[in-house]
Amino acid sequence: MKTYKKVISVSLAAVMATGMLAGCGKKKSSVDENGKMTITWLGLPWAAGMEADKMYAKKLIEDKFNVNLEIINYDTETYANKKPLLLSGDNVPDIIYDMDPSQLQADVKQGFLLEIPYEMLLEKCPDIVAEINEQVPELWLYSYAEGKNWGIPNIGYNGSDNKVGIWRTDWLKNVGIDKVPETIDEMHDALYKFTHNDPDGNGVKDTYGMSGDLNAWYMAFSEIFCAYGAMPFSWIEKDGKIVYGGLEDNVKEVLTILSGWYEEGIIDPDFITDKFNTTGLDKIKNGKIGYINQGGNHKTTEDVETSVLGIAKQINPEAELECAPPIAGPDGKRGTFAWGKGGHVNAFGRHLKDEPEKLDKILEIFEYISTNQDFAQQLRMGEKGVHYELVDEAKGYAGGIKALPPYDDSKEAAKYGISTSVEGFAFFSPISVKQEKINELISEEKKEFNDKCIIEGLGKTDVFLKPDTVPSASTYLNDLRSKQLIYVSDIIRGVKTVEQYDEFIEAWNQQGGKTMEEDANKLFDELESIYKQVKIN
Amino acid sequence: MKTKSNMTPKKAGFFSQYIKNWEVVMFMIPGLILLLIFAYAPMFGLLIAFKDYKMALGVFESEWVGLEHFGRLFTGNDFLKVLKNTVTISFLKLIVGFPLPIILALMLNEMRNAAYKKIVQTFSYLPHFFSWVVMGGIVMMLFSNSGPVNDVLMKFGVDKPVSFFGEGFWFIILLLITSVWQGVGWSSIVYISALSAVDQSLYEAATIDGAGRWKQTLHISIPAILPTIVTVLILNMGHILNGGFDQIFNLYNPAVYETADILDTYVYRKLQTMDYSLGTAVGLFKSFVGMLMVITVNKIVKKLTEGENSVF
């Protein structure tokens, strides 16, 4: 027996040695024999279905700028798992798309990124800088870490839109209310009747006024908090200082109201598990609740059958829905939390320090997209007549856009990375399509919805856009916010009293909140010096 | 200590054994490679639990920080609460979830209709292959306040829906129910295979002696699979600090953090982008406790059965 054990150990050692020798790759040259540059590009990880050899935008950029693009296309999950491995290996991509300021800060801390000084941006990308300065100057914080700039943030123009409420108008009619509630009192009245006056007329008390979403703090009763001017999960400016909105008295005021509503049976007890865009929305369709605060439109002419209203009508032909802007509080305050016009960040691999021509090329491409909005549109939508056409030639884009086959199949369109919309972000939107262009392309239907429900200034944002932008937030905020949500949920459900919210405030002060607050104020001061460097007066 | 004179012949023996048994050595290699790649090689990575790991620098170049990450873990605000939750949940899962597969296996063993047995087996395995992301959605729908489970309970005279997702007690019950549902079929496989190896003549002899089905189970089936049961128990002890991350993460919500927050979910919230050192420190801590449990339980078993059923 003993000898066998030795045999094993020797074999072990042998195999171990081979294992350790393997695994060192070589960095390949990024310029081919024709002098064509190859740019490796880790883009937005939301386009899982896209196929590298079919991508329309890739060809467009390659032809236009005489470069080769090597695409690294992850889905959201692989991105989270594989990006760190990718960055720590030998083949660090040239363009690294970071989703969050906190991610960028971590990448900087790990030493993966190249500093992009503001002067360089002012010189090479004046249009991009000007657009950020004008639209959303706080966005410079997204590419900011350790006192320096590390990339180019992009703008999400619709990010500052307020969320909209969806009402079951057939229920409103059934309980004798003839207009969609506009104030908090009207809302309470309607929701109370939804629970107690059998709005679906089935003789059983099986309905609730509303549900919420506690898992997404940015949605959690956001419209009601904002009606009282509360921003429970954001950094706010108060008398020239930055404080955490969750510590303000108005949060307790709203919690008192919500716990009262819960006691009256207005709030569906499932609010702790419901998700605003899935199960919560299903409840509207199924006729379990009569109101929910959520993101998009409820009906579209394009896919009538599968829209929220379409499905609700299949369940109950009487169903009617209407979207409404946020309700107004006692002092006329209203709004919902919004991420703001901040998007993500294009960062650059550190090795580009030795390849300045390549960095120049990339900056040139970015600036070109920013200054040539037709090109930006083409990157997203493809060519008119090939990928899409106008529904009504006479009306222009206002009449709507129709995808041409085979791109009318959403799966097929995804392979090519083509979409019928230019809003938001895509793999090849390092620089987003600007608002003027979006306005040019908007359909009448969408415009009608926007005019009715999206009101300028009602999307309430954090001073830093994302609360996690504060550097020490990555250490403390997640944990403290979970704690805060425990108190919010327990107080609403009557498990804890409103006074016990002070326990959270105490925990906040003891467990890192103070540090974050100091950091937040420091960051706020640094914002001034950033503004000076990018030439904002 | 061995004397020198003993060593020399041994050494010669070693090499000759190596060559003489080369076929056996060849057989070993694939298994060894797997073991090395997936079990031993990653152990190098444990170093980063003691370092300020920077990926760009690599494991060896990163700076040593001693036990800092363990300090961060143990002095974390809710560490003790979370540890308690983890141990509670996994012990409850063990108490409920350990005997049930054995009972299922014994019951299936008594089944005479082979086709029916196969169907039951297949259906009981099935949930094992569902990911918790999917299961989470199903369970939330079934057990929500307005879901079918509560509808049935209300029909049976429960006056108010049971808040499975809102109260710690019921949430734990829910965790137990769903983990049994998911795991019972799969865990029973090992017992079923152990039972199939039992010599059928033993049952025949027992029947002749007048033993009924119950006595046969008690005196033949159970003793026959006892070594398997003990082995599985000892190995399960190693997982005592795994409360089941996937399951809890996909089911929990702020209302039950107090009771359902386990070590893994806690670290998940603390673990910010690329804080691998902390993650590794937690993994090492869990493995260490797991190993202690395995050794202890193994010792106890060894004492109780006089060395017969222990794993090592």
Side-chain angles (χ1 to χ4, degrees):
Chain A
M1 266 326 265
K2 279 261 158 64
T3 33
Y4 269 122
K5 275 196 179 156
K6 279 215 168 165
V7 174
I8 294 170
S9 61
V10 169
S11 325
L12 260 170
V15 179
M16 215 180 260
T18 5
M20 284 175 75
L21 288 175
C24 304
K26 246 194 211 156
K27 176 103 191 140
K28 51 182 183 207
S29 165
S30 62
V31 180
D32 70 5
E33 58 273 18
N34 307 327
K36 220 177 185 185
M37 220 177 252
T38 297
I39 298 170
T40 44
W41 195 325
L42 168 64
L44 178 79
W46 291 351
M50 198 153 61
E51 291 176 11
D53 53 336
K54 285 188 173 168
M55 284 174 161
Y56 173 76
K58 175 172 178 267
K59 274 194 208 89
L60 201 62
I61 295 177
E62 283 178 339
D63 294 347
K64 178 87 203 167
F65 296 96
N66 191 35
V67 290
N68 286 322
L69 296 185
E70 204 180 299
I71 299 308
I72 305 165
N73 182 22
Y74 291 150
D75 59 38
T76 312
E77 205 167 308
T78 7
Y79 176 86
N81 298 334
K82 277 201 189 156
K83 190 188 130 202
L85 295 176
L86 184 74
L87 295 191
S88 62
D90 285 329
N91 292 313
V92 179
D94 300 318
I95 300 174
I96 302 160
Y97 200 77
D98 267 327
M99 303 301 291
D100 268 305
S102 55
Q103 256 180 31
L104 179 115
Q105 288 164 13
D107 285 352
V108 169
K109 202 172 150 231
Q110 291 279 352
F112 294 142
L113 304 183
L114 177 70
E115 188 201 342
I116 308 289
Y118 294 112
E119 305 86 69
M120 184 196 272
L121 284 183
L122 280 165
E123 186 202 326
K124 305 260 166 66
C125 305
D127 192 67
I128 294 175
V129 174
E131 181 73 4
I132 295 174
N133 288 353
E134 192 198 318
Q135 292 287 339
V136 48
E138 302 92 328
L139 188 53
W140 288 113
L141 289 177
Y142 277 35
S143 55
Y144 178 80
E146 299 176 4
K148 293 173 188 155
N149 186 55
W150 302 87
I152 303 177
N154 60 358
I155 304 176
Y157 289 89
N158 58 3
S160 58
D161 291 357
N162 55 276
K163 299 278 178 277
V164 286
I166 295 190
W167 289 90
R168 286 284 294 230
T169 33
D170 56 326
W171 283 20
L172 284 172
K173 213 166 74 200
N174 291 350
V175 297
I177 298 172
D178 49 10
K179 75 176 185 60
V180 173
E182 284 166 13
T183 67
I184 192 104
D185 292 330
E186 288 170 8
M187 179 179 185
H188 175 252
D189 180 47
L191 295 181
Y192 188 87
K193 287 176 177 160
F194 282 173
T195 302
H196 297 284
N197 294 9
D198 193 20
D200 55 358
N202 67 352
V204 189
K205 196 177 157 214
D206 58 354
T207 51
Y208 288 101
M210 67 181 293
S211 189
D213 188 337
L214 266 202
N215 294 285
W217 57 263
Y218 49 90
M219 291 299 286
F221 299 106
S222 170
E223 77 281 34
I224 300 170
F225 278 114
C226 286
Y228 291 84
M231 293 285 281
F233 305 102
S234 303
W235 296 104
I236 55 171
E237 196 181 345
K238 193 180 159 191
D239 311 326
K241 299 268 299 169
I242 303 302
V243 292
Y244 187 65
L247 311 182
E248 297 297 298
D249 282 340
N250 49 20
V251 173
K252 283 198 248 179
E253 191 185 347
V254 177
L255 287 177
T256 314
I257 291 163
L258 286 175
S259 71
W261 287 17
Y262 187 85
E263 216 182 322
E264 289 174 332
I266 289 177
I267 300 171
D268 187 333
D270 283 344
F271 81 93
I272 48 174
T273 48
D274 273 342
K275 309 231 167 18
F276 71 96
N277 50 2
T278 55
T279 46
L281 213 48
D282 286 345
K283 285 190 165 162
I284 281 272
K285 298 174 194 163
N286 291 331
K288 296 266 182 205
I289 56 171
Y291 166 86
I292 196 162
N293 179 41
Q294 61 95 55
N297 203 345
H298 65 292
K299 58 172 183 186
T300 46
T301 39
E302 216 175 288
D303 41 15
V304 184
E305 300 262 301
T306 52
S307 68
V308 181
L309 179 63
I311 292 170
K313 274 200 181 294
Q314 284 167 36
I315 292 162
N316 178 0
E318 309 273 286
E320 285 300 337
L321 297 175
E322 202 165 313
C323 288
I327 42 102
D331 309 330
K333 286 184 187 140
R334 55 180 183 155
T336 62
F337 175 83
W339 293 107
K341 287 182 184 171
H344 313 121
V345 189
N346 299 285
F348 304 95
R350 197 174 48 169
H351 59 274
L352 284 184
K353 194 173 66 181
D354 305 324
E355 298 170 82
E357 346 53 72
K358 198 196 256 186
L359 182 61
D360 282 353
K361 193 81 187 173
I362 296 171
L363 295 181
E364 183 196 327
I365 296 174
F366 284 9
E367 178 72 0
Y368 184 84
I369 297 174
S370 184
T371 49
N372 290 273
Q373 285 294 300
D374 290 337
F375 185 74
Q377 177 195 347
Q378 208 180 340
L379 284 176
R380 299 291 299 276
M381 292 173 48
E383 261 169 83
K384 192 170 145 192
V386 178
H387 299 101
Y388 67 95
E389 63 176 8
L390 300 179
V391 175
D392 184 346
E393 202 60 54
K395 278 188 178 171
Y397 284 102
I401 302 158
K402 199 171 73 192
L404 288 168
Y407 311 105
D408 53 348
D409 176 12
S410 62
K411 276 207 186 104
E412 196 62 26
K415 284 183 194 165
Y416 291 85
I418 296 284
S419 154
T420 50
S421 160
V422 292
E423 284 187 69
F425 311 96
F427 190 97
F428 281 112
S429 60
I431 303 303
S432 309
V433 177
K434 290 181 186 169
Q435 189 66 54
E436 304 94 74
K437 192 75 193 176
I438 297 173
N439 292 344
E440 252 174 59
L441 303 178
I442 198 167
S443 68
E444 267 173 356
E445 187 190 337
K446 182 83 205 291
K447 193 165 183 310
E448 197 185 312
F449 169 78
N450 282 358
D451 287 347
K452 185 171 142 202
C453 301
I454 310 293
I455 297 169
E456 176 98 47
L458 291 201
K460 305 289 182 193
T461 54
D462 188 287
V463 249
F464 305 119
L465 305 178
K466 285 180 183 168
D468 304 63
T469 308
V470 174
S472 53
S474 62
T475 318
Y476 305 112
L477 188 55
N478 218 353
D479 212 27
L480 282 171
R481 192 159 51 207
S482 306
K483 196 158 273 169
Q484 187 183 5
L485 282 166
I486 297 177
Y487 280 90
V488 169
S489 116
D490 282 359
I491 291 168
I492 295 176
R493 295 182 308 136
V495 180
K496 288 193 169 82
T497 62
V498 174
E499 288 73 41
Q500 279 176 288
Y501 191 75
D502 292 341
E503 292 168 18
F504 159 70
I505 297 179
E506 202 174 303
W508 170 275
N509 287 332
Q510 280 168 5
Q511 300 173 7
K514 282 262 186 264
T515 318
M516 276 193 287
E517 199 182 294
E518 278 164 29
D519 272 5
N521 279 294
K522 218 171 97 208
L523 191 65
F524 192 66
D525 293 340
E526 286 170 50
L527 206 47
E528 290 304 309
S529 95
I530 297 176
Y531 287 169
K532 223 172 267 159
Q533 291 182 68
V534 290
K535 309 261 187 285
I536 303 178
N537 318 311
Chain B
M1 260 298 169
K2 275 156 195 139
T3 55
K4 237 185 178 168
S5 59
N6 277 352
M7 288 286 277
T8 345
K10 257 226 150 155
K11 223 171 193 175
F14 161 67
F15 278 114
S16 66
Q17 285 278 358
Y18 199 99
I19 295 158
K20 206 173 106 194
N21 294 304
W22 69 274
E23 297 101 327
V24 184
V25 174
M26 294 306 278
F27 275 122
M28 253 163 40
I29 284 177
L32 274 180
I33 292 177
L34 276 183
L35 196 68
L36 282 174
I37 296 177
F38 294 109
Y40 282 88
M43 281 190 201
F44 283 115
L46 286 178
L47 280 183
I48 68 177
F50 306 97
K51 289 188 161 204
D52 178 19
Y53 179 52
K54 293 232 162 77
M55 290 198 120
L57 294 175
V59 175
F60 294 104
E61 299 291 314
S62 295
E63 201 186 322
W64 289 99
V65 292
L67 296 175
E68 190 196 295
H69 300 299
F70 292 92
R72 261 164 79 200
L73 175 66
F74 297 142
T75 57
N77 294 317
D78 299 314
F79 178 73
L80 284 177
K81 186 187 85 192
V82 169
L83 191 65
K84 195 190 100 209
N85 288 346
T86 314
V87 174
T88 314
I89 290 175
S90 45
F91 259 113
L92 285 173
K93 275 187 178 171
L94 199 66
I95 291 166
V96 179
F98 186 70
L100 286 175
I102 303 172
I103 295 169
L104 180 72
L106 289 171
M107 277 159 57
L108 283 172
N109 191 47
E110 296 303 317
M111 203 78 83
R112 288 292 169 258
N113 184 337
Y116 185 67
K117 184 176 163 183
K118 276 265 141 59
I119 291 172
V120 172
Q121 258 181 289
T122 312
F123 272 93
S124 64
Y125 300 162
L126 216 54
H128 174 81
F129 297 101
F130 294 157
S131 119
W132 265 110
V133 179
V134 179
M135 297 261 288
I138 298 173
V139 169
M140 271 197 194
M141 202 202 77
L142 290 177
F143 288 86
S144 73
N145 281 286
S146 50
V149 171
N150 265 314
D151 281 354
V152 172
L153 288 175
M154 304 269 270
K155 288 268 181 330
F156 280 103
V158 179
D159 51 344
K160 169 168 146 301
V162 177
S163 181
F164 285 104
F165 294 95
E167 280 168 48
F169 173 77
W170 287 109
F171 188 72
I172 303 251
I173 301 282
L174 181 74
L175 289 180
L176 295 178
I177 294 173
T178 51
S179 78
V180 165
W181 175 44
Q182 195 201 25
V184 70
W186 186 255
S187 322
S188 69
I189 292 180
V190 60
Y191 303 116
I192 290 172
S193 71
L195 279 169
S196 67
V198 179
D199 190 349
Q200 290 302 313
S201 60
L202 287 175
Y203 291 108
E204 284 160 22
T207 319
I208 292 166
D209 288 345
R213 282 287 188 80
W214 175 241
K215 289 282 175 198
Q216 286 179 25
T217 306
L218 217 57
H219 297 291
I220 301 173
S221 303
I222 293 183
I225 61 170
L226 196 61
T228 316
I229 295 177
V230 172
T231 309
V232 173
L233 178 70
I234 292 173
L235 293 179
N236 276 351
M237 286 327 258
H239 300 298
I240 202 70
L241 286 189
N242 293 342
F245 174 77
D246 286 0
Q247 183 195 19
I248 293 180
F249 185 69
N250 282 297
L251 291 179
Y252 81 163
N253 65 72
V256 289
Y257 275 169
E258 290 289 327
T259 39
D261 202 11
I262 57 167
L263 208 51
D264 290 337
T265 50
Y266 170 76
V267 172
Y268 176 86
R269 284 204 315 275
K270 290 227 160 216
L271 247 186
Q272 290 306 307
T273 27
M274 298 194 277
D275 197 347
Y276 292 111
S277 292
L278 182 65
T280 312
V282 175
L284 188 59
F285 170 67
K286 279 165 57 181
S287 306
F288 184 70
V289 174
M291 192 182 75
L292 282 185
M293 290 301 286
V294 169
I295 292 174
T296 320
V297 175
N298 190 59
K299 271 241 163 74
I300 295 171
V301 170
K302 210 172 192 171
K303 268 252 156 69
L304 288 180
T305 62
E306 282 145 12
E308 239 177 71
N309 285 331
S310 61
V311 174
F312 48 85

